[in-house]
Amino acid sequence: MKSIVRFGLRVVPLLLLAPAAWGQGGVRTLEDYAQRDGYLELRTSDGLYRIAPYSGKIVETSFIPKGEQFDPASHAVVLKPNAPRATLKAGAAGLEYAAGGMVVTIQRSPFRISYAYQGRQLVAEKHGYSKGKDAEGKDSEAIDFELDASEAIYGAGARAVGMDRRGNRLKLYNKAHYGYEQRSELVAYAMPLVLSSKLYALHFDNAQSGYLDIDSKHDKVLAFETMGGRKTYQVIAGDSWADLVGSYSALTGRQPLLPRWALGNISSRFGYHSEEEARALVDQYHKDQIPLDGIIFDIYWYGVDMKGRVGNLEFVKEKFPDARKMMADFSAKGVKTIVSIEPYIMTTSNRWKEALDRDVLAKDAAGKPFVYDVYFGNTALLDIFSKPGKDWFWEKYKDLHEQGIAGCFCDLGEPEGHPAGLLHVNGTADQVHNIYGHEWARMMADGYRRELPKERPFLLMRAGYSGSQRFGLIPSSGDSNRTWGGLQSQAEIALQMGMQGVAYMHSDLGGFAGTNLDDELYVRWMQYGTFQPIFRPHGQEEVPSEPVYRAEPAKSLARDAIRLRYALLPYNYTLAFENNQTGLPLMRPLLFEEPGNAAVRTQADSYLWGDAILVTPVVQPGLREKSIYFPARSAWFDYYSGEKHAGGSTASIALKAEHLPLFVRAGSFLPMAPPMQSTQNYSGKHLDLHYYHDASVSAATGQLYDDDGKTPDAYEKGEYQLTAFSSKFAGASLAIALDARSGKQARLLSRSYSLVVHNVAAQPAAVKLDGRSVASSWDAQRKQLTVALAASSKARRQVTVQLARAANAI
């Protein structure tokens, strides 16, 4: 394996294990067992097992080799065990340990553990634990499992290797991949987690460097290989994909609700060099009437040439003469300021002496700051695990926040340069590398809770660990190439990370690396961005990432994509709320819809945005049509033309430069907002509520969540409004109800609606609001009925439409 050179540092990853290294040295057997309080203890010929149910769908298994002690500490798990009472049955062949729907079967000899849920076999250890030498002669350990021949495997973090990860041996060592395209074995963010098409997940609860071997030898073996640490894993079962993702996110923690402005357009490039340049950019957005909610200052806010100044953590005066006023002026326009912060302190920065005096830096074996060279210059790395390091770093961030910044682009937090000889307070670089970003996010989240309790954090990062979502981490897919290949991998990366609990994975819109000026590519990427969790154009400055600096018609087409993003703000914010409450991602693969359909379980070229919208990105140049499969559970309507497509069908759809192919599920409610320049202008006092009627839908539901967009835990505090939408259709009568309720600390908002009912083929015989006739208009060409609902704070409103009999069968 080649060494990897990045920012001047040679990183030697864990090498391939020699095939002969995994000999068992004898048959493992069960020697004794005991049922303890909350877990089953198994004594084997080579160590001790602890099997602990967390719920009726989650069980944790730990192996402690002879001579080692059990380590209960997990960086990932936050769920407290709350399983049904476990039962144990013993027989001549082995044991059966059950809690709720989970059943663990232990074979006495040869020792083997298998897992089942509700009578459905999930997975089994093959050889279980083994120990050997890697290619460099270093000790390495593994736990392996036997896979079914037909199951697809997902997970392992952010990769572009195909939706089904089988056939790959994937490194567990967070590392960026500059300029990647269709394939990347690691984008930056690794996770020791796999999920199966059989509706189970395996989470290996060990952050140390290693590998996930997912049937790379085509022998139906899944192996977790590690340099050391815990031999603990959790098996999670699900009744559906929503249930499985919900259980995993409950185990490791769910994403806090982002500030509402984070769902708007955030302008970024590498980078903005001066206050003058930034002010001109924001003014241009307003002049061109392109909505904007944020601006990110990449590394040039430190200085003119950036090198040697990383760690200054202050705007350079000669280029930003009044940064505080600049940020205040931006905020008045609804534009938040985010700055990039790196965990490096250059020896030439003006913070170097302070960092030494405060003892915040990682050390070498002699106890001195570990100093080395990276792209930016001679540096040391902040020890994010030490209390002095955390306190100092938060202190600097809070100072910047007081000046006016609203979020952090916590960059290079893999960390990008992390020499193996470097020591942190809690271990070597390789031992703690994969949780560096995780701890950085934790430090920021803790700081906000402690000292900025009325504000939701914005934490843009490239890498984290299992469970980092609970700290509010917003991951990006890093430095993709500015090519069609760079775009083609993005949906897979985002969908996979959403399945793994990290719902806000998103790409640098337009692509980051290279000088390729391609307006068709740019527009298609921006159109895709409307339906990725974060809308953030970003790239190297040789080609503008901002729509205001693109030529027509690219500028206008990008503006249309951004305006659609803002129109969908009520729907998108409700998706963010659902993610916070249930763990469901905003972007959902079609396999969520049809888990038994082998044809869609590896598909990423179409996906669901929430439950209502089917999105098909255009990722190849010059395409005139695209074949699209419509999930079978319902009919689908073209968002633009209203044309209906039967569920379970496939159609060739003509493509248009103006927009992506978008389809709305029959029976869906889409709440949409009027035009705005910034989410600051959103009030929720008037909304357009679209309902997609179809005779095949006898009843449907939807919801709208709203709060002030900034208060942490607003739902839990009772500071919210939740409106349930429902429809009932029988005979020729369609009833649509809006039922609003507020939290204990809120009052119902007086809200008006324009209710738009789609697929109404004939003039209705009657339209009533709460039993009284109400004015309405019917568009025969578009087959749309519009009903105006005046502003009201009533808890319940109901519109009844008496459809014409001739239109009833449509």
Side-chain angles (χ1 to χ4, degrees):
M1 179 177 289
K2 295 179 179 178
S3 63
I4 301 166
V5 178
R6 183 67 169 149
F7 282 9
L9 174 68
R10 183 176 182 271
V11 179
V12 181
L14 185 66
L15 298 182
L16 291 170
L17 293 162
W22 297 110
Q24 291 299 305
V27 175
R28 304 175 79 211
T29 59
L30 176 64
E31 296 183 346
D32 198 3
Y33 65 91
Q35 190 168 5
R36 309 294 188 190
D37 184 17
Y39 66 96
L40 175 65
E41 184 177 275
L42 306 173
R43 189 169 300 280
T44 65
S45 50
D46 57 348
L48 195 70
Y49 274 86
R50 293 168 56 110
I51 301 177
Y54 270 73
S55 72
K57 297 179 180 180
I58 304 173
V59 64
E60 177 180 279
T61 297
S62 299
F63 177 67
I64 306 99
K66 285 185 176 180
E68 295 186 17
Q69 298 294 316
F70 174 62
D71 178 5
S74 170
H75 298 287
V77 172
V78 294
L79 184 69
K80 302 300 182 185
N82 186 27
R85 184 175 179 84
T87 61
L88 178 65
K89 296 179 182 178
L95 311 175
E96 185 178 280
Y97 186 57
M102 291 290 286
V103 178
V104 184
T105 302
I106 299 102
Q107 181 177 289
R108 291 179 184 271
S109 182
F111 179 80
R112 190 171 187 261
I113 304 177
S114 62
Y115 301 87
Y117 173 71
Q118 300 284 24
R120 172 166 54 92
Q121 185 64 32
L122 300 177
V123 70
E125 289 190 2
K126 187 174 179 65
H127 301 112
Y129 172 77
S130 57
K131 189 171 184 178
K133 300 287 186 181
D134 66 18
E136 292 184 337
K138 296 178 181 177
D139 289 341
S140 290
E141 301 169 274
I143 303 173
D144 65 2
F145 296 80
E146 188 167 4
L147 298 175
D148 283 357
S150 61
E151 66 183 305
I153 298 295
Y154 313 95
R159 325 266 180 172
V161 295
M163 285 293 284
D164 187 352
R165 307 309 209 190
R166 288 186 80 149
N168 292 282
R169 187 168 183 269
L170 302 171
K171 184 162 56 175
L172 297 172
Y173 185 88
N174 288 349
K175 186 168 181 60
H177 182 176
Y178 176 81
Y180 70 91
E181 297 194 350
Q182 294 97 328
R183 182 175 175 85
S184 175
E185 292 193 2
L186 179 56
V187 170
Y189 193 146
M191 264 196 280
L193 169 69
V194 295
L195 304 97
S196 168
S197 58
K198 293 170 60 179
L199 292 177
Y200 72 85
L202 266 173
H203 176 249
F204 299 97
D205 200 352
N206 180 343
Q208 295 198 25
S209 301
Y211 284 86
L212 271 174
D213 190 322
I214 308 173
D215 196 19
S216 69
K217 303 179 184 69
H218 306 288
D219 55 1
K220 297 187 291 185
V221 174
L222 165 70
F224 170 70
E225 305 166 8
T226 178
M227 62 181 288
R230 304 177 84 212
K231 273 65 72 174
T232 294
Y233 62 87
Q234 294 90 27
V235 181
I236 306 114
D239 296 307
S240 64
W241 275 104
D243 184 44
L244 179 61
V245 171
S247 290
Y248 171 73
S249 61
L251 180 72
T252 59
R254 292 188 175 135
Q255 182 97 24
L257 193 55
L258 299 186
R260 185 167 15 235
W261 64 263
L263 297 178
N265 175 28
I266 299 172
S267 187
S268 183
R269 69 158 63 178
F270 186 67
Y272 302 121
H273 296 258
S274 68
E275 178 179 338
E276 180 183 15
E277 182 182 20
R279 286 183 177 276
L281 172 71
V282 172
D283 288 345
Q284 194 65 47
Y285 269 101
H286 281 252
K287 180 180 178 181
D288 291 340
Q289 297 182 318
I290 298 178
L292 181 66
D293 263 271
I295 180 171
I296 296 178
F297 287 91
D298 211 323
I299 210 161
Y300 289 106
W301 71 288
Y302 288 150
V304 178
D305 61 359
M306 73 183 170
K307 292 188 178 181
R309 302 203 192 193
V310 171
N312 282 0
L313 300 174
E314 61 185 4
F315 283 94
V316 60
K317 271 286 187 182
E318 55 263 39
K319 290 295 182 179
F320 297 89
D322 197 344
R324 185 185 292 266
K325 186 175 188 307
M326 175 192 73
M327 291 186 281
D329 290 346
F330 288 170
S331 183
K333 295 180 178 181
V335 179
K336 306 296 184 183
T337 299
I338 303 109
V339 296
S340 75
I341 295 175
E342 292 71 31
Y344 300 104
I345 313 297
M346 300 287 116
T347 57
T348 52
S349 79
N350 58 21
R351 302 280 184 188
W352 176 249
K353 185 177 184 303
E354 181 183 353
L356 292 176
D357 292 343
R358 295 281 294 271
D359 191 25
V360 304
L361 303 172
K363 304 290 200 300
D364 60 19
K368 297 179 179 180
F370 192 111
V371 177
Y372 55 107
D373 290 331
V374 296
Y375 176 80
F376 304 107
N378 191 244
T379 192
L381 180 69
L382 182 99
D383 193 344
I384 198 67
F385 304 100
S386 74
K387 188 177 187 306
K390 290 178 182 178
D391 290 348
W392 183 83
F393 217 22
W394 171 254
E395 176 187 305
K396 298 308 166 193
Y397 177 79
K398 192 182 175 189
D399 287 347
L400 290 166
H401 181 274
E402 191 275 329
Q403 294 172 41
I405 73 164
C408 177
F409 176 16
C410 305
D411 200 13
L412 309 184
E414 295 82 16
E416 181 138 345
H418 206 190
L422 182 148
L423 300 176
H424 294 277
V425 293
N426 59 332
T428 67
D430 286 348
Q431 288 173 333
V432 302
H433 175 84
N434 288 331
I435 52 170
Y436 191 97
H438 183 77
E439 288 301 313
W440 190 355
R442 184 200 300 271
M443 180 269 289
M444 295 290 287
D446 288 348
Y448 267 86
R449 275 192 293 267
R450 186 178 62 248
E451 299 187 50
L452 303 171
K454 295 182 179 181
E455 189 174 337
R456 300 175 190 171
F458 179 91
L459 307 178
L460 177 63
M461 305 183 79
R462 290 198 312 202
Y465 180 62
S466 308
S468 293
Q469 70 275 356
R470 68 179 180 265
F471 304 129
L473 179 146
I474 303 169
S476 83
S477 61
D479 299 342
S480 60
N481 232 2
R482 194 181 257 138
T483 60
W484 289 97
L487 171 59
Q488 286 161 14
S489 54
Q490 296 308 318
E492 175 195 333
I493 294 167
L495 289 168
Q496 287 271 356
M497 289 297 278
M499 294 169 71
Q500 298 170 77
V502 186
Y504 289 92
M505 172 59 79
H506 66 286
S507 65
D508 294 350
L509 296 179
F512 178 83
T515 58
N516 180 29
L517 179 59
D518 183 333
D519 281 346
E520 183 187 6
L521 169 66
Y522 178 77
V523 167
R524 291 306 194 191
W525 212 321
M526 296 286 278
Q527 291 169 344
Y528 161 71
T530 302
F531 301 97
Q532 72 168 14
I534 300 294
F535 194 100
R536 185 182 58 87
H538 182 59
Q540 291 172 334
E541 63 184 333
E542 291 81 1
V543 174
S545 58
E546 308 88 350
V548 295
Y549 296 141
R550 302 297 288 231
E552 294 291 356
K555 176 193 280 191
S556 292
L557 293 176
R559 174 168 44 217
D560 290 345
I562 295 170
R563 286 178 173 174
L564 177 58
R565 172 82 176 194
Y566 277 76
L568 287 167
L569 180 63
Y571 177 75
N572 293 348
Y573 195 66
T574 301
L575 294 186
F577 168 71
E578 291 174 357
N579 169 255
N580 166 251
Q581 293 295 305
T582 71
L584 263 177
L586 290 75
M587 288 176 67
R588 303 169 191 175
L590 296 190
L591 63 94
F592 276 33
E593 186 85 357
E594 299 180 22
N597 185 350
V600 303
R601 72 183 193 181
T602 60
Q603 184 177 338
D605 55 354
S606 289
Y607 61 90
L608 294 168
W609 181 247
D611 187 63
I613 301 175
L614 177 66
V615 181
T616 302
V618 178
V619 297
Q620 292 177 299
L623 283 187
R624 296 186 177 182
E625 60 183 23
K626 190 167 180 63
S627 179
I628 296 176
Y629 171 73
F630 296 93
R633 184 159 60 92
S634 56
W636 297 85
F637 292 96
D638 188 306
Y639 176 81
Y640 295 97
S641 71
E643 181 182 358
K644 179 180 172 180
H645 296 270
S649 68
T650 300
S652 182
I653 303 299
L655 299 180
K656 296 186 177 181
E658 291 78 12
H659 55 75
L660 297 182
L662 298 178
F663 301 89
V664 183
R665 186 194 301 276
S668 291
F669 290 91
L670 271 188
M672 300 181 72
M676 66 191 88
Q677 182 60 34
S678 161
T679 61
Q680 179 174 272
N681 306 126
Y682 174 80
S683 69
K685 292 181 178 179
H686 176 80
L687 297 177
D688 296 332
L689 178 61
H690 295 260
Y691 176 68
Y692 286 79
H693 165 66
D694 189 64
S696 65
V697 180
S698 59
T701 59
Q703 67 175 349
L704 169 68
Y705 175 80
D706 212 352
D707 58 25
D708 67 2
K710 58 186 179 182
T711 298
D713 304 318
Y715 180 73
E716 289 73 17
K717 293 172 181 174
E719 300 176 13
Y720 68 90
Q721 178 168 319
L722 189 61
T723 304
F725 306 127
S726 62
S727 72
K728 291 184 178 179
F729 177 63
S733 178
L734 173 65
I736 296 175
L738 292 73
D739 292 285
R741 65 179 176 88
S742 61
K744 292 181 179 180
Q745 303 301 317
R747 297 168 60 185
L748 287 179
L749 177 70
S750 180
R751 176 179 283 154
S752 62
Y753 289 92
S754 292
L755 173 63
V756 182
V757 184
H758 295 252
N759 195 35
V760 178
Q763 178 81 45
V767 180
K768 295 183 177 182
L769 171 62
D770 297 331
R772 297 174 179 268
S773 295
V774 65
S776 63
S777 62
W778 175 68
D779 186 324
Q781 183 177 358
R782 304 180 71 181
K783 299 181 183 178
Q784 292 180 2
L785 172 70
T786 302
V787 185
L789 279 63
S792 172
S793 58
K794 289 177 62 177
R796 180 177 175 83
R797 287 186 268 184
Q798 180 167 303
V799 175
T800 305
V801 182
Q802 194 67 30
L803 297 170
R805 291 283 179 180
N808 206 17
I810 293 178

